Amino acid sequence: MSDTERLPQPALADIDLVTVLHALGDPVRMTLLLSYADGAEHSCDPRGLGLEHLHKSTVSHHMRVLREAGVTTTRVAGRNRFVSLRRADLDFRFPGLLDALLAAAAA
């Protein structure tokens, strides 16, 4: 997949722990993290993410914060956007962080 098919995101070396933790410090973004943890690509439809109570622009904002922090990547396919977790990048950069966050969120 070429970089032109992805929305801008930080390079692996530029992913910063403080920025990642700040991005995940919001309950809505933690809900998104739990959804993305399955490893699949997800559309931006709030209903499919369990966020139907939020306005679409609010969900888009939260998705942008996660992408700009380096937590997710967004693939562009025409007018559609598909979001997935940058699991391998985050595990490489901060070993054990995602597992700890996901376990804490599930508890």
Side-chain angles (χ1 to χ4, degrees), residues 67-90:
R67 179 179 46 81
E68 290 177 351
V71 176
T72 61
T73 186
T74 303
R75 181 176 63 87
V76 178
R79 293 179 50 148
N80 298 310
R81 307 288 187 264
F82 297 95
V83 180
S84 58
L85 184 62
R86 291 179 68 178
R87 179 73 190 229
D89 290 343
L90 291 169

Side-chain angles (χ1 to χ4, degrees), residues 10 18 20 40 46 63 65 76 90 97 100:
V18 172
V20 168
M63 290 178 173
V65 170
V76 178
L90 291 169
L97 176 65

Side-chain angles (χ1 to χ4, degrees), residues 14-25 69 71 93-94 97:
D14 295 331
I15 299 174
D16 174 68
L17 179 61
V18 172
T19 305
V20 168
L21 292 176
H22 177 66
L24 293 172
V71 176
R93 194 83 170 98
F94 314 111
L97 176 65

Side-chain angles (χ1 to χ4, degrees), residues 10-100:
L12 176 61
D14 295 331
I15 299 174
D16 174 68
L17 179 61
V18 172
T19 305
V20 168
L21 292 176
H22 177 66
L24 293 172
D26 182 279
V28 171
R29 293 193 285 268
M30 280 300 295
T31 299
L32 287 169
L33 178 68
L34 291 170
S35 294
Y36 300 150
D38 65 4
E41 282 189 323
H42 295 266
S43 76
C44 296
D45 183 2
R47 293 171 297 182
L49 298 167
L51 298 173
E52 54 277 343
H53 62 285
L54 296 176
H55 195 276
K56 188 174 180 179
S57 64
T58 301
V59 176
S60 294
H61 164 75
H62 288 296
M63 290 178 173
R64 181 181 53 83
V65 170
L66 290 173
R67 179 179 46 81
E68 290 177 351
V71 176
T72 61
T73 186
T74 303
R75 181 176 63 87
V76 178
R79 293 179 50 148
N80 298 310
R81 307 288 187 264
F82 297 95
V83 180
S84 58
L85 184 62
R86 291 179 68 178
R87 179 73 190 229
D89 290 343
L90 291 169
D91 285 344
F92 177 79
R93 194 83 170 98
F94 314 111
L97 176 65
L98 280 179
D99 291 332

